[in-house]
Amino acid sequence: EKQGAGRAAPRQTEAGGSAAAARPSAGTMGETVDTVKAVMSNVFLFGLILGMAGTIQVSAFEKRVSEWRGIVMGLASQFVLLPFLGFLVVKTFDLEPVAGITLLITTTSPGGGFSGLFCSLSNADLALSVAMTTVSTVLTMVMMPLNIVLYINSTYGVAVELPWGSLFLTVGVVILAVVVGLGFSYYKPQWSNRLNVVGTVCGICNIFLAAGSSGTSDTPFWEHPPLFILSIGLPCFIGLVISFVMSKLVLKISAPQAVAISIECCYQNTALAITVAFSVFKGQQSSLAAGIPLIYGMAEPALIAPFCLLAWRMNWTYCPRDETFLRWLSLNWQPGTEHLNALRHDGTDQYVPRPVDIAPHDAPTARCYDPEKASTSSSAAAGAGG
């Protein structure tokens, strides 16, 4: 009997081992979830950029790319101003290496796709936003390593390994989305409002996806001291103000373009920053590092949303400030689409008399449908035909 019991024990152990082997490990499950999130994030990013690019006119995009002031100011804000502000904050607040290095990684990361969503919702210059996103995404392959060497390696002596695969994938997704979106804009201009809705929905979905991913962090942001949280969000606030003042008052760039430049300046790809931070820090340090882009990511909408509202009330966007809040937020007021929004508020298909120039004085390309002029032209044409 003892011998039989002895032989039974190994069989039980083998069975238990087989069952354990059949169950996927926690590491495998985590890798699968991360892969699914990465795929969904890129799908939503593609839809967001496609929707924004499909909303603008191809001629407006070409014009923004050819105009040097807006693009150069946007790139300087993205790759020069914000990384330098991050460096100043690290030195001023004497942040510990983990927090300081991760903040510098965040401020040297490329712009996030959500900047286009905010430009679309606030009716800033969306064509310039898409143009800056396209150019900056390509240039980040050079500028991000350069800034890392300049600020991180020289300050902390830490070698940062970049996820080149993620960078190349982001570049490919953005460029493909811009090309496809501009193709829709050129061949199917009547789809502009629908594509705007698609981009908005994809952007909101990506926000919820990012929020769900951030919720699994081991270091909740509220456990940090208030001064620490303030220091992490400070580059975003200062960059927003300086880039707008430089664009609007110094370079005399139009107000809707200045608003777009300011948003592009401080809205960073925090998901990429977390990926880079995980390649530098391990264990408990990685948990602390993950909280830095999370805090910065929460500061972005908290600062940009009221700035967009202020820009509308100051008549710095393409939507007239005498419009209702709901129409400002929900309708597309980009140049060339204003006549679509000149409908009666009761929902009928008749146009109402509105001023011809409903856009700010520094947006002369924007025009609104004028029924009085239209009827006069129709009468004149009828008389000529008679």
Side-chain angles (χ1 to χ4, degrees):
E1 291 178 1
K2 290 183 180 180
Q3 185 177 1
R7 286 194 301 268
R11 286 198 295 268
Q12 185 177 3
T13 304
E14 290 173 5
S18 301
R23 291 193 301 268
S25 63
T28 304
M29 288 291 292
E31 292 176 0
T32 303
V33 171
D34 290 342
T35 301
V36 171
K37 288 181 179 179
V39 171
M40 292 177 62
S41 178
N42 281 290
V43 169
F44 290 144
L45 175 63
F46 179 84
L48 169 62
I49 301 297
L50 183 148
M52 301 302 101
T55 301
I56 63 178
Q57 297 177 336
V58 177
S59 58
F61 179 82
E62 294 175 344
K63 185 178 180 181
R64 296 297 180 266
V65 173
S66 62
E67 291 175 348
W68 65 271
R69 290 189 304 169
I71 291 291
V72 171
M73 182 61 202
L75 295 177
S77 300
Q78 179 79 58
F79 294 120
V80 179
L81 175 61
L82 194 65
F84 180 68
L85 291 175
F87 174 74
L88 289 182
V89 167
V90 168
K91 289 298 185 181
T92 302
F93 290 86
D94 193 22
L95 297 181
E96 61 175 323
V98 174
I101 292 173
T102 310
L103 178 60
L104 290 174
I105 291 173
T106 304
T107 55
T108 57
S109 296
F114 297 140
S115 58
L117 176 63
F118 273 94
C119 287
S120 175
L121 292 175
S122 65
N123 293 286
D125 197 300
L126 188 57
L128 180 59
S129 173
V130 174
M132 284 191 296
T133 298
T134 305
V135 177
S136 65
T137 301
V138 175
L139 287 182
T140 193
M141 305 296 291
V142 176
M143 295 305 300
M144 188 175 183
L146 181 62
N147 279 321
I148 284 177
V149 171
L150 179 63
Y151 292 112
I152 299 179
N153 292 14
S154 61
T155 303
Y156 293 101
V158 175
V160 176
E161 182 180 351
L162 292 177
W164 292 104
S166 299
L167 285 176
F168 277 112
L169 180 61
T170 301
V171 171
V173 168
V174 170
I175 292 178
L176 180 61
V178 170
V179 171
V180 175
L182 290 177
F184 278 123
S185 175
Y186 185 80
Y187 292 104
K188 295 290 183 180
Q190 66 273 21
W191 290 4
S192 62
N193 280 349
R194 297 176 183 176
L195 291 173
N196 186 267
V197 173
V198 170
T200 302
V201 171
C202 287
I204 294 174
C205 289
N206 219 355
I207 289 176
F208 280 109
L209 180 64
S213 301
S214 300
T216 61
S217 174
D218 295 333
T219 308
F221 74 93
W222 56 83
E223 291 186 1
H224 295 291
L227 185 61
F228 178 84
I229 296 176
L230 175 65
S231 67
I232 301 301
L234 201 55
C236 183
F237 173 74
I238 300 177
L240 192 69
V241 174
I242 292 180
S243 58
F244 181 79
V245 171
M246 289 290 295
S247 303
K248 181 76 169 63
L249 302 182
V250 178
L251 297 180
K252 305 298 182 183
I253 296 175
S254 68
Q257 293 185 32
V259 173
I261 291 172
S262 303
I263 295 173
E264 289 287 336
C265 168
C266 60
Y267 215 112
Q268 299 299 90
N269 190 335
T270 54
L272 180 63
I274 292 176
T275 301
V276 177
F278 280 165
S279 69
V280 179
F281 302 106
K282 306 298 179 182
Q284 291 297 324
Q285 288 185 336
S286 66
S287 299
L288 174 60
I292 307 303
L294 172 60
I295 296 174
Y296 188 94
M298 296 185 66
E300 289 171 333
L303 294 170
I304 293 175
F307 170 74
C308 291
L309 183 60
L310 173 65
W312 168 53
R313 297 309 302 165
M314 294 297 294
N315 223 27
W316 293 339
T317 70
Y318 286 127
C319 178
R321 60 184 172 191
D322 61 342
E323 284 292 345
T324 63
F325 173 81
L326 184 60
R327 283 170 63 84
W328 164 70
L329 191 63
S330 61
L331 295 182
N332 175 22
W333 294 91
Q334 296 299 314
T337 63
E338 295 80 6
H339 64 283
L340 300 175
N341 302 326
L343 299 175
R344 290 186 184 274
H345 288 262
D346 58 8
T348 61
D349 293 329
Q350 300 177 7
Y351 287 101
V352 294
R354 299 177 61 82
V356 176
D357 189 2
I358 65 171
H361 66 280
D362 53 1
T365 58
R367 292 290 182 269
C368 179
Y369 179 88
D370 185 13
E372 199 171 317
K373 282 191 174 184
S375 60
T376 304
S377 300
S378 302
S379 302

